[in-house]
Amino acid sequence: MQKFSYYPGCTLKNKASELDLGAREAAKILGFELEEIPEWQCCGGVYPLNKDEITQKLGAVRALKYAANHGQKLVALCSACYNVLKQVNNDFAVDEEIKQKVNNYLALNKSDYEDGNPYNGDAEVVHLLEVLRDDVGFDVLKSKVKNPVQKKIAAYYGCLLLRPSKILKFDDAENPTILENFIEAVGGESVKYSMRNECCGSYECLEDGNTNPNTEFGAASKSEKIIKDAVSHGAEIIITACPLCMYNLKKAINNLDGEFAGRPKIEIKYFTEILCEALK
Amino acid sequence: MTAEQIAELKSEIIRISGTNPKACMQCGKCSGTCPSYDEMEYHPHQIVRMVETGDLEPILNSPSLYKCLSCLACLERCPRQVEPAKIVEAVRTVVERQKENNHLPKEKIRDFLDDDMPQQAIVSAMRKFSK
């Protein structure tokens, strides 16, 4: 049985427990093991774009180092964790200064340095969707489906799974296909719509109705446009891998007006939820 | 601000961002793709230009700095690898690193939460809006 180091991240242990549980159950059925890293730390939610923010990367580096030391791929499920882990890992390949400074910090802490080795960027970060595509195979996944989803499903990628594509190398940032192929594998019908890689408004949700009282703007309005686009294309379910997209999209459903108000409510689910439903 | 202070701040912004605003050819693709375009007083291509020309004072005080959500659409699509999101981030950072200049101070964030809000939103907002 193939084993992966697993980095759940803070939100999956709390508000997004469905995302985590669905993956664990699916892994058992599909025959691979997600070994949760002991004492993992929060990735920080966002990759630090500033060159001089080094300590903000340590949480991610500790997880990367653990996976590399154990010779396992590091699996993330949350789009944000995936994005941060992969971008921080990339720093080690392209930025000698960051690599040196991070290792100077690691050397200060005995538990980070008990193997005596600096971290060199050797870990391989993958998203669970990549495990399903490359290690399990979508054709094998399809053959194990007992309960095909049989609904029109819109894949919502958002930002963090795709960009920056030169570093993440997850999929084509402008015309991604992995989630659509996943949907087809679990027996759904994928719905393509133009807003699938647009931003949901992210952490701007904290400002909605607070520092930003203008309801025409903010996360609520950005998410509303995405939902309306998916609904207009006939979607019954939207799937996502990101807990923050989930929150923003769910909230936006309640604001639908005009011709959208009378339609049956679209569901927002994590991709692991429909994966599990299909396999059971 | 004196010319000397402006030059110093400009080099600080460029150092933090790690990008080169001089490479920008003002094609406007970043602004065209920005999901917050309509909410901004100064748009991404303008902010890049203002950093390059040293016209810093208007942007340092502009709410536009807090409209960038690091969705990285501009960075992805920039034909000159200027990476506007990194420049906006650096300008916001030099503002927030000044004493008591946080956009969302930690004690304020608590009042903006609801029961369903994911931890990810809180951590991200604190990283972005509180230095």
Side-chain angles (χ1 to χ4, degrees):
Chain A
M1 187 187 281
Q2 194 170 359
K3 282 185 184 178
F4 297 90
S5 290
Y6 173 41
Y7 181 91
C10 53
T11 311
L12 272 70
K13 287 289 177 184
N14 205 307
K15 306 283 182 195
S17 54
E18 305 93 328
L19 181 55
D20 172 64
L21 295 173
R24 289 178 192 268
E25 285 194 42
K28 273 184 212 157
I29 298 169
L30 293 170
F32 61 91
E33 201 171 322
L34 294 173
E35 276 188 344
E36 185 174 334
I37 288 184
E39 295 180 31
W40 52 265
Q41 298 169 345
C42 173
C43 71
V46 282
Y47 170 76
L49 290 172
N50 292 325
K51 278 271 174 197
D52 61 355
E53 292 187 340
I54 306 289
T55 51
Q56 287 88 330
K57 294 177 176 169
L58 288 173
V61 173
R62 290 181 177 121
L64 293 164
K65 190 166 192 260
Y66 180 91
N69 283 356
H70 288 75
Q72 293 176 347
K73 288 183 190 174
L74 181 59
V75 173
L77 273 172
C78 163
S79 305
C81 299
Y82 172 72
N83 188 290
V84 173
L85 291 169
K86 203 143 182 187
Q87 289 212 68
V88 169
N89 207 30
N90 178 68
D91 287 338
F92 283 77
V94 299
D95 196 320
E96 210 41 55
E97 190 187 341
I98 290 178
K99 185 175 167 181
Q100 181 62 50
K101 285 183 175 169
V102 166
N103 278 308
N104 290 348
Y105 277 110
L106 292 182
L108 292 174
N109 188 345
K110 207 182 159 203
S111 64
D112 283 334
Y113 219 64
E114 54 197 11
D115 59 1
N117 298 320
Y119 179 61
N120 291 316
D122 303 328
E124 187 182 346
V125 181
V126 289
H127 193 274
L128 184 71
L129 284 163
E130 293 173 298
V131 173
L132 296 175
R133 181 189 62 192
D134 305 330
D135 296 284
V136 176
F138 281 151
D139 47 342
V140 174
L141 171 60
K142 195 174 180 177
S143 71
K144 296 200 173 176
V145 166
K146 287 185 183 160
N147 180 25
V149 184
Q150 291 181 323
K151 292 223 168 161
K152 289 186 175 176
I153 305 175
Y156 178 61
Y157 290 87
C159 317
L160 297 170
L161 276 181
L162 298 172
R163 298 186 286 262
S165 63
K166 276 184 193 155
I167 295 171
L168 301 184
K169 299 185 181 81
F170 177 77
D171 205 341
D172 184 326
E174 308 299 352
N175 189 21
T177 52
I178 187 169
L179 270 171
E180 281 79 6
N181 293 340
F182 165 76
I183 290 166
E184 305 286 342
V186 294
E189 184 187 333
S190 69
V191 173
K192 280 208 175 174
Y193 62 112
S194 64
M195 304 266 312
R196 65 205 170 110
N197 59 350
E198 291 291 331
C199 177
C200 71
S202 188
Y203 44 84
E204 201 180 15
C205 58
L206 269 100
E207 301 208 71
D208 285 1
N210 294 308
T211 55
N212 173 23
N214 188 343
T215 53
E216 283 174 43
F217 294 145
S221 79
K222 290 181 179 79
S223 288
E224 195 181 319
K225 286 179 197 159
I226 293 161
I227 304 244
K228 284 182 174 175
D229 192 22
V231 171
S232 302
H233 287 80
E236 298 166 276
I237 300 175
I238 295 178
I239 56 164
T240 176
C242 177
L244 187 43
C245 296
M246 169 67 86
Y247 171 81
N248 282 330
L249 294 175
K250 268 193 169 169
K251 249 184 133 177
I253 291 181
N254 302 323
N255 298 332
L256 292 182
D257 51 13
E259 55 160 323
F260 294 94
R263 297 193 189 189
K265 266 196 180 173
I266 190 165
E267 283 184 277
I268 321 286
K269 289 187 169 184
Y270 290 117
F271 75 98
T272 53
E273 288 182 274
I274 66 160
L275 171 63
C276 233
E277 283 167 27
L279 290 172
K280 277 184 178 172
Chain B
M1 286 170 85
T2 65
E4 211 171 65
Q5 285 170 323
I6 288 172
E8 203 177 305
L9 196 56
K10 179 185 163 183
S11 72
E12 173 79 349
I13 290 166
I14 292 174
R15 182 187 67 77
I16 294 175
S17 72
T19 65
N20 177 18
K22 216 177 233 170
C24 171
M25 57 184 183
Q26 291 288 293
C27 72
K29 206 167 186 178
C30 50
S31 296
T33 199
C34 178
S36 294
Y37 180 89
D38 292 337
E39 307 173 39
M40 287 173 156
E41 167 189 23
Y42 299 109
H43 303 112
H45 76 289
Q46 291 171 303
I47 296 175
V48 172
R49 182 75 183 147
M50 288 160 94
V51 168
E52 171 52 19
T53 58
D55 186 16
L56 295 176
E57 266 174 294
I59 36 171
L60 294 176
N61 299 309
S62 171
S64 303
L65 290 181
Y66 310 99
K67 290 293 164 191
C68 171
L69 301 169
S70 302
C71 78
L72 306 187
C74 59
L75 184 150
E76 181 72 33
R77 293 167 187 158
C78 176
R80 303 276 293 169
Q81 287 79 49
V82 175
E83 306 185 310
K86 291 188 178 174
I87 291 178
V88 176
E89 179 99 349
V91 176
R92 195 179 60 233
T93 300
V94 297
V95 174
E96 291 188 320
R97 281 183 184 170
Q98 290 163 28
K99 200 177 176 192
E100 289 176 7
N101 230 0
N102 284 326
H103 177 59
L104 287 185
K106 290 180 186 74
E107 49 286 0
K108 226 170 156 188
I109 286 180
R110 196 183 308 148
D111 300 333
F112 297 165
L113 310 182
D114 64 46
D115 289 344
D116 298 322
M117 193 172 280
Q119 285 69 23
Q120 182 193 352
I122 305 160
V123 176
S124 303
M126 281 180 67
R127 279 276 165 96
K128 290 288 176 182
F129 296 145
S130 199
K131 293 291 173 189

mmCIF file of all heavy atoms in Angstrom, chain B residues 21-58:
data_model
loop_
_atom_site.group_PDB
_atom_site.id
_atom_site.type_symbol
_atom_site.label_atom_id
_atom_site.label_comp_id
_atom_site.label_asym_id
_atom_site.label_seq_id
_atom_site.Cartn_x
_atom_site.Cartn_y
_atom_site.Cartn_z
ATOM 1 N N PRO B 21 9.799 46.936 -11.556
ATOM 2 C CA PRO B 21 8.706 47.692 -12.188
ATOM 3 C C PRO B 21 9.118 48.354 -13.503
ATOM 4 O O PRO B 21 8.271 48.695 -14.318
ATOM 5 C CB PRO B 21 8.330 48.744 -11.133
ATOM 6 C CG PRO B 21 9.497 48.822 -10.204
ATOM 7 C CD PRO B 21 10.173 47.491 -10.231
ATOM 8 N N LYS B 22 10.423 48.520 -13.697
ATOM 9 C CA LYS B 22 10.925 49.136 -14.935
ATOM 10 C C LYS B 22 10.561 48.289 -16.165
ATOM 11 O O LYS B 22 10.443 48.800 -17.272
ATOM 12 C CB LYS B 22 12.442 49.245 -14.839
ATOM 13 C CG LYS B 22 13.009 50.489 -15.476
ATOM 14 C CD LYS B 22 14.503 50.553 -15.282
ATOM 15 C CE LYS B 22 14.843 51.904 -14.672
ATOM 16 N NZ LYS B 22 16.218 51.986 -14.239
ATOM 17 N N ALA B 23 10.398 46.989 -15.963
ATOM 18 C CA ALA B 23 10.100 46.102 -17.095
ATOM 19 C C ALA B 23 8.664 46.265 -17.595
ATOM 20 O O ALA B 23 8.308 45.764 -18.661
ATOM 21 C CB ALA B 23 10.343 44.648 -16.695
ATOM 22 N N CYS B 24 7.845 46.985 -16.826
ATOM 23 C CA CYS B 24 6.425 47.133 -17.190
ATOM 24 C C CYS B 24 6.280 47.995 -18.432
ATOM 25 O O CYS B 24 6.903 49.044 -18.547
ATOM 26 C CB CYS B 24 5.659 47.769 -16.030
ATOM 27 S SG CYS B 24 3.969 48.225 -16.451
ATOM 28 N N MET B 25 5.440 47.541 -19.379
ATOM 29 C CA MET B 25 5.196 48.345 -20.583
ATOM 30 C C MET B 25 3.776 48.914 -20.583
ATOM 31 O O MET B 25 3.271 49.327 -21.607
ATOM 32 C CB MET B 25 5.462 47.511 -21.829
ATOM 33 C CG MET B 25 4.645 46.245 -21.918
ATOM 34 S SD MET B 25 5.105 45.270 -23.352
ATOM 35 C CE MET B 25 3.925 43.934 -23.237
ATOM 36 N N GLN B 26 3.140 48.895 -19.399
ATOM 37 C CA GLN B 26 1.820 49.529 -19.247
ATOM 38 C C GLN B 26 0.775 48.973 -20.213
ATOM 39 O O GLN B 26 -0.037 49.720 -20.754
ATOM 40 C CB GLN B 26 1.942 51.057 -19.397
ATOM 41 C CG GLN B 26 2.684 51.718 -18.242
ATOM 42 C CD GLN B 26 1.871 51.734 -16.954
ATOM 43 O OE1 GLN B 26 0.840 52.388 -16.828
ATOM 44 N NE2 GLN B 26 2.320 50.967 -15.959
ATOM 45 N N CYS B 27 0.791 47.687 -20.420
ATOM 46 C CA CYS B 27 -0.204 47.093 -21.317
ATOM 47 C C CYS B 27 -1.576 47.022 -20.647
ATOM 48 O O CYS B 27 -2.589 46.942 -21.310
ATOM 49 C CB CYS B 27 0.232 45.702 -21.771
ATOM 50 S SG CYS B 27 0.151 44.428 -20.486
ATOM 51 N N GLY B 28 -1.584 47.020 -19.309
ATOM 52 C CA GLY B 28 -2.854 47.038 -18.584
ATOM 53 C C GLY B 28 -3.514 45.689 -18.431
ATOM 54 O O GLY B 28 -4.645 45.575 -17.959
ATOM 55 N N LYS B 29 -2.830 44.635 -18.820
ATOM 56 C CA LYS B 29 -3.424 43.299 -18.707
ATOM 57 C C LYS B 29 -3.733 42.962 -17.252
ATOM 58 O O LYS B 29 -4.745 42.343 -16.942
ATOM 59 C CB LYS B 29 -2.442 42.274 -19.286
ATOM 60 C CG LYS B 29 -3.107 41.037 -19.807
ATOM 61 C CD LYS B 29 -2.148 40.210 -20.647
ATOM 62 C CE LYS B 29 -2.890 39.055 -21.282
ATOM 63 N NZ LYS B 29 -2.034 38.251 -22.148
ATOM 64 N N CYS B 30 -2.853 43.385 -16.344
ATOM 65 C CA CYS B 30 -3.052 43.114 -14.908
ATOM 66 C C CYS B 30 -4.344 43.751 -14.421
ATOM 67 O O CYS B 30 -5.129 43.129 -13.711
ATOM 68 C CB CYS B 30 -1.864 43.607 -14.090
ATOM 69 S SG CYS B 30 -1.364 45.312 -14.436
ATOM 70 N N SER B 31 -4.562 45.001 -14.827
ATOM 71 C CA SER B 31 -5.767 45.697 -14.374
ATOM 72 C C SER B 31 -7.001 45.099 -15.026
ATOM 73 O O SER B 31 -8.048 44.972 -14.398
ATOM 74 C CB SER B 31 -5.662 47.192 -14.694
ATOM 75 O OG SER B 31 -4.603 47.759 -13.963
ATOM 76 N N GLY B 32 -6.870 44.715 -16.286
ATOM 77 C CA GLY B 32 -7.999 44.110 -16.993
ATOM 78 C C GLY B 32 -8.453 42.809 -16.365
ATOM 79 O O GLY B 32 -9.620 42.455 -16.424
ATOM 80 N N THR B 33 -7.542 42.104 -15.725
ATOM 81 C CA THR B 33 -7.876 40.797 -15.163
ATOM 82 C C THR B 33 -8.161 40.847 -13.666
ATOM 83 O O THR B 33 -8.558 39.846 -13.074
ATOM 84 C CB THR B 33 -6.716 39.807 -15.455
ATOM 85 O OG1 THR B 33 -7.189 38.484 -15.309
ATOM 86 C CG2 THR B 33 -5.531 40.000 -14.545
ATOM 87 N N CYS B 34 -7.953 42.027 -13.068
ATOM 88 C CA CYS B 34 -8.074 42.133 -11.598
ATOM 89 C C CYS B 34 -9.535 42.036 -11.153
ATOM 90 O O CYS B 34 -10.373 42.819 -11.596
ATOM 91 C CB CYS B 34 -7.480 43.455 -11.127
ATOM 92 S SG CYS B 34 -7.627 43.694 -9.346
ATOM 93 N N PRO B 35 -9.872 41.087 -10.245
ATOM 94 C CA PRO B 35 -11.267 40.956 -9.815
ATOM 95 C C PRO B 35 -11.738 42.134 -8.966
ATOM 96 O O PRO B 35 -12.931 42.318 -8.758
ATOM 97 C CB PRO B 35 -11.277 39.654 -9.002
ATOM 98 C CG PRO B 35 -9.875 39.460 -8.551
ATOM 99 C CD PRO B 35 -8.998 40.084 -9.607
ATOM 100 N N SER B 36 -10.803 42.934 -8.466
ATOM 101 C CA SER B 36 -11.169 44.083 -7.632
ATOM 102 C C SER B 36 -11.080 45.406 -8.393
ATOM 103 O O SER B 36 -11.128 46.478 -7.790
ATOM 104 C CB SER B 36 -10.272 44.137 -6.390
ATOM 105 O OG SER B 36 -10.510 43.033 -5.559
ATOM 106 N N TYR B 37 -10.943 45.318 -9.712
ATOM 107 C CA TYR B 37 -10.733 46.546 -10.521
ATOM 108 C C TYR B 37 -11.736 47.646 -10.192
ATOM 109 O O TYR B 37 -11.366 48.791 -9.955
ATOM 110 C CB TYR B 37 -10.799 46.199 -12.017
ATOM 111 C CG TYR B 37 -10.595 47.391 -12.924
ATOM 112 C CD1 TYR B 37 -9.326 47.760 -13.347
ATOM 113 C CD2 TYR B 37 -11.682 48.165 -13.333
ATOM 114 C CE1 TYR B 37 -9.128 48.869 -14.153
ATOM 115 C CE2 TYR B 37 -11.503 49.278 -14.131
ATOM 116 C CZ TYR B 37 -10.226 49.630 -14.543
ATOM 117 O OH TYR B 37 -10.043 50.741 -15.339
ATOM 118 N N ASP B 38 -13.026 47.271 -10.173
ATOM 119 C CA ASP B 38 -14.074 48.285 -9.987
ATOM 120 C C ASP B 38 -14.027 48.940 -8.609
ATOM 121 O O ASP B 38 -14.645 49.965 -8.382
ATOM 122 C CB ASP B 38 -15.467 47.650 -10.169
ATOM 123 C CG ASP B 38 -15.712 47.229 -11.601
ATOM 124 O OD1 ASP B 38 -15.052 47.792 -12.488
ATOM 125 O OD2 ASP B 38 -16.550 46.336 -11.822
ATOM 126 N N GLU B 39 -13.334 48.308 -7.683
ATOM 127 C CA GLU B 39 -13.313 48.821 -6.314
ATOM 128 C C GLU B 39 -12.084 49.676 -6.047
ATOM 129 O O GLU B 39 -11.877 50.148 -4.940
ATOM 130 C CB GLU B 39 -13.336 47.642 -5.323
ATOM 131 C CG GLU B 39 -14.483 46.678 -5.592
ATOM 132 C CD GLU B 39 -14.415 45.428 -4.729
ATOM 133 O OE1 GLU B 39 -14.067 45.528 -3.550
ATOM 134 O OE2 GLU B 39 -14.705 44.345 -5.261
ATOM 135 N N MET B 40 -11.230 49.816 -7.066
ATOM 136 C CA MET B 40 -9.944 50.477 -6.843
ATOM 137 C C MET B 40 -9.901 51.896 -7.369
ATOM 138 O O MET B 40 -10.405 52.202 -8.437
ATOM 139 C CB MET B 40 -8.832 49.682 -7.516
ATOM 140 C CG MET B 40 -8.484 48.398 -6.816
ATOM 141 S SD MET B 40 -7.301 47.468 -7.818
ATOM 142 C CE MET B 40 -6.517 46.476 -6.555
ATOM 143 N N GLU B 41 -9.234 52.730 -6.612
ATOM 144 C CA GLU B 41 -8.984 54.104 -7.033
ATOM 145 C C GLU B 41 -7.758 54.097 -7.971
ATOM 146 O O GLU B 41 -7.772 54.692 -9.034
ATOM 147 C CB GLU B 41 -8.720 54.887 -5.742
ATOM 148 C CG GLU B 41 -8.146 56.243 -5.866
ATOM 149 C CD GLU B 41 -7.735 56.782 -4.491
ATOM 150 O OE1 GLU B 41 -7.501 55.986 -3.549
ATOM 151 O OE2 GLU B 41 -7.621 57.998 -4.376
ATOM 152 N N TYR B 42 -6.728 53.398 -7.582
ATOM 153 C CA TYR B 42 -5.563 53.189 -8.461
ATOM 154 C C TYR B 42 -5.504 51.710 -8.811
ATOM 155 O O TYR B 42 -5.619 50.854 -7.932
ATOM 156 C CB TYR B 42 -4.266 53.601 -7.766
ATOM 157 C CG TYR B 42 -4.253 55.054 -7.382
ATOM 158 C CD1 TYR B 42 -4.343 55.440 -6.054
ATOM 159 C CD2 TYR B 42 -4.176 56.047 -8.366
ATOM 160 C CE1 TYR B 42 -4.353 56.782 -5.701
ATOM 161 C CE2 TYR B 42 -4.197 57.395 -8.020
ATOM 162 C CZ TYR B 42 -4.284 57.757 -6.681
ATOM 163 O OH TYR B 42 -4.307 59.069 -6.339
ATOM 164 N N HIS B 43 -5.320 51.422 -10.096
ATOM 165 C CA HIS B 43 -5.352 50.036 -10.564
ATOM 166 C C HIS B 43 -3.944 49.456 -10.639
ATOM 167 O O HIS B 43 -2.964 50.209 -10.621
ATOM 168 C CB HIS B 43 -6.084 49.993 -11.901
ATOM 169 C CG HIS B 43 -7.471 50.558 -11.799
ATOM 170 N ND1 HIS B 43 -7.851 51.733 -12.395
ATOM 171 C CD2 HIS B 43 -8.537 50.128 -11.078
ATOM 172 C CE1 HIS B 43 -9.114 51.997 -12.068
ATOM 173 N NE2 HIS B 43 -9.547 51.042 -11.270
ATOM 174 N N PRO B 44 -3.842 48.122 -10.727
ATOM 175 C CA PRO B 44 -2.505 47.506 -10.652
ATOM 176 C C PRO B 44 -1.457 48.139 -11.581
ATOM 177 O O PRO B 44 -0.349 48.448 -11.148
ATOM 178 C CB PRO B 44 -2.789 46.045 -11.014
ATOM 179 C CG PRO B 44 -4.182 45.819 -10.527
ATOM 180 C CD PRO B 44 -4.905 47.107 -10.762
ATOM 181 N N HIS B 45 -1.794 48.357 -12.870
ATOM 182 C CA HIS B 45 -0.761 48.912 -13.774
ATOM 183 C C HIS B 45 -0.375 50.317 -13.366
ATOM 184 O O HIS B 45 0.759 50.744 -13.544
ATOM 185 C CB HIS B 45 -1.236 48.851 -15.236
ATOM 186 C CG HIS B 45 -2.258 49.889 -15.615
ATOM 187 N ND1 HIS B 45 -3.557 49.853 -15.167
ATOM 188 C CD2 HIS B 45 -2.159 51.004 -16.380
ATOM 189 C CE1 HIS B 45 -4.212 50.896 -15.654
ATOM 190 N NE2 HIS B 45 -3.385 51.615 -16.389
ATOM 191 N N GLN B 46 -1.343 51.053 -12.767
ATOM 192 C CA GLN B 46 -1.020 52.403 -12.306
ATOM 193 C C GLN B 46 -0.105 52.357 -11.074
ATOM 194 O O GLN B 46 0.816 53.163 -10.942
ATOM 195 C CB GLN B 46 -2.323 53.155 -11.959
ATOM 196 C CG GLN B 46 -3.171 53.465 -13.188
ATOM 197 C CD GLN B 46 -4.541 54.017 -12.815
ATOM 198 O OE1 GLN B 46 -5.287 53.383 -12.082
ATOM 199 N NE2 GLN B 46 -4.840 55.208 -13.304
ATOM 200 N N ILE B 47 -0.361 51.410 -10.196
ATOM 201 C CA ILE B 47 0.463 51.297 -8.988
ATOM 202 C C ILE B 47 1.909 50.946 -9.373
ATOM 203 O O ILE B 47 2.860 51.522 -8.847
ATOM 204 C CB ILE B 47 -0.143 50.268 -7.996
ATOM 205 C CG1 ILE B 47 -1.516 50.762 -7.516
ATOM 206 C CG2 ILE B 47 0.799 50.021 -6.816
ATOM 207 C CD1 ILE B 47 -2.289 49.805 -6.621
ATOM 208 N N VAL B 48 2.054 50.041 -10.336
ATOM 209 C CA VAL B 48 3.404 49.684 -10.813
ATOM 210 C C VAL B 48 4.109 50.934 -11.351
ATOM 211 O O VAL B 48 5.260 51.221 -11.029
ATOM 212 C CB VAL B 48 3.333 48.594 -11.911
ATOM 213 C CG1 VAL B 48 4.703 48.367 -12.544
ATOM 214 C CG2 VAL B 48 2.786 47.290 -11.339
ATOM 215 N N ARG B 49 3.375 51.706 -12.152
ATOM 216 C CA ARG B 49 3.930 52.922 -12.760
ATOM 217 C C ARG B 49 4.298 53.945 -11.674
ATOM 218 O O ARG B 49 5.330 54.605 -11.739
ATOM 219 C CB ARG B 49 2.899 53.510 -13.726
ATOM 220 C CG ARG B 49 3.347 54.754 -14.469
ATOM 221 C CD ARG B 49 4.316 54.407 -15.570
ATOM 222 N NE ARG B 49 4.811 55.623 -16.236
ATOM 223 C CZ ARG B 49 6.030 55.736 -16.738
ATOM 224 N NH1 ARG B 49 6.879 54.726 -16.650
ATOM 225 N NH2 ARG B 49 6.403 56.847 -17.333
ATOM 226 N N MET B 50 3.418 54.081 -10.679
ATOM 227 C CA MET B 50 3.659 55.079 -9.629
ATOM 228 C C MET B 50 4.893 54.725 -8.798
ATOM 229 O O MET B 50 5.616 55.604 -8.346
ATOM 230 C CB MET B 50 2.410 55.214 -8.752
ATOM 231 C CG MET B 50 1.268 55.937 -9.486
ATOM 232 S SD MET B 50 -0.339 55.624 -8.760
ATOM 233 C CE MET B 50 -0.498 57.024 -7.663
ATOM 234 N N VAL B 51 5.126 53.427 -8.613
ATOM 235 C CA VAL B 51 6.340 53.010 -7.903
ATOM 236 C C VAL B 51 7.557 53.335 -8.761
ATOM 237 O O VAL B 51 8.538 53.911 -8.296
ATOM 238 C CB VAL B 51 6.301 51.497 -7.562
ATOM 239 C CG1 VAL B 51 7.665 51.002 -7.095
ATOM 240 C CG2 VAL B 51 5.248 51.230 -6.489
ATOM 241 N N GLU B 52 7.468 53.051 -10.037
ATOM 242 C CA GLU B 52 8.598 53.275 -10.938
ATOM 243 C C GLU B 52 8.955 54.766 -11.037
ATOM 244 O O GLU B 52 10.115 55.137 -11.029
ATOM 245 C CB GLU B 52 8.277 52.679 -12.324
ATOM 246 C CG GLU B 52 9.230 53.000 -13.432
ATOM 247 C CD GLU B 52 10.700 52.703 -13.119
ATOM 248 O OE1 GLU B 52 10.982 51.921 -12.199
ATOM 249 O OE2 GLU B 52 11.559 53.299 -13.790
ATOM 250 N N THR B 53 7.929 55.625 -11.094
ATOM 251 C CA THR B 53 8.198 57.062 -11.237
ATOM 252 C C THR B 53 8.391 57.763 -9.889
ATOM 253 O O THR B 53 8.705 58.943 -9.851
ATOM 254 C CB THR B 53 7.041 57.773 -11.978
ATOM 255 O OG1 THR B 53 5.836 57.533 -11.239
ATOM 256 C CG2 THR B 53 6.889 57.240 -13.399
ATOM 257 N N GLY B 54 8.174 57.047 -8.797
ATOM 258 C CA GLY B 54 8.354 57.650 -7.474
ATOM 259 C C GLY B 54 7.162 58.491 -7.031
ATOM 260 O O GLY B 54 7.255 59.256 -6.079
ATOM 261 N N ASP B 55 6.031 58.329 -7.707
ATOM 262 C CA ASP B 55 4.811 59.060 -7.320
ATOM 263 C C ASP B 55 4.118 58.267 -6.204
ATOM 264 O O ASP B 55 3.019 57.738 -6.375
ATOM 265 C CB ASP B 55 3.915 59.189 -8.572
ATOM 266 C CG ASP B 55 2.693 60.051 -8.325
ATOM 267 O OD1 ASP B 55 2.681 60.785 -7.319
ATOM 268 O OD2 ASP B 55 1.748 59.973 -9.133
ATOM 269 N N LEU B 56 4.761 58.208 -5.050
ATOM 270 C CA LEU B 56 4.347 57.240 -4.030
ATOM 271 C C LEU B 56 3.258 57.737 -3.078
ATOM 272 O O LEU B 56 2.432 56.953 -2.627
ATOM 273 C CB LEU B 56 5.566 56.815 -3.193
ATOM 274 C CG LEU B 56 6.655 56.045 -3.949
ATOM 275 C CD1 LEU B 56 7.842 55.778 -3.041
ATOM 276 C CD2 LEU B 56 6.100 54.735 -4.475
ATOM 277 N N GLU B 57 3.277 59.028 -2.784
ATOM 278 C CA GLU B 57 2.365 59.516 -1.742
ATOM 279 C C GLU B 57 0.895 59.159 -1.955
ATOM 280 O O GLU B 57 0.239 58.697 -1.022
ATOM 281 C CB GLU B 57 2.560 61.013 -1.519
ATOM 282 C CG GLU B 57 3.538 61.249 -0.382
ATOM 283 C CD GLU B 57 3.912 62.693 -0.180
ATOM 284 O OE1 GLU B 57 4.567 63.267 -1.084
ATOM 285 O OE2 GLU B 57 3.534 63.237 0.867
ATOM 286 N N PRO B 58 0.356 59.333 -3.181
ATOM 287 C CA PRO B 58 -1.069 58.982 -3.355
ATOM 288 C C PRO B 58 -1.374 57.511 -3.059
ATOM 289 O O PRO B 58 -2.400 57.212 -2.450
ATOM 290 C CB PRO B 58 -1.339 59.289 -4.834
ATOM 291 C CG PRO B 58 -0.228 60.168 -5.284
ATOM 292 C CD PRO B 58 0.956 59.855 -4.418
#
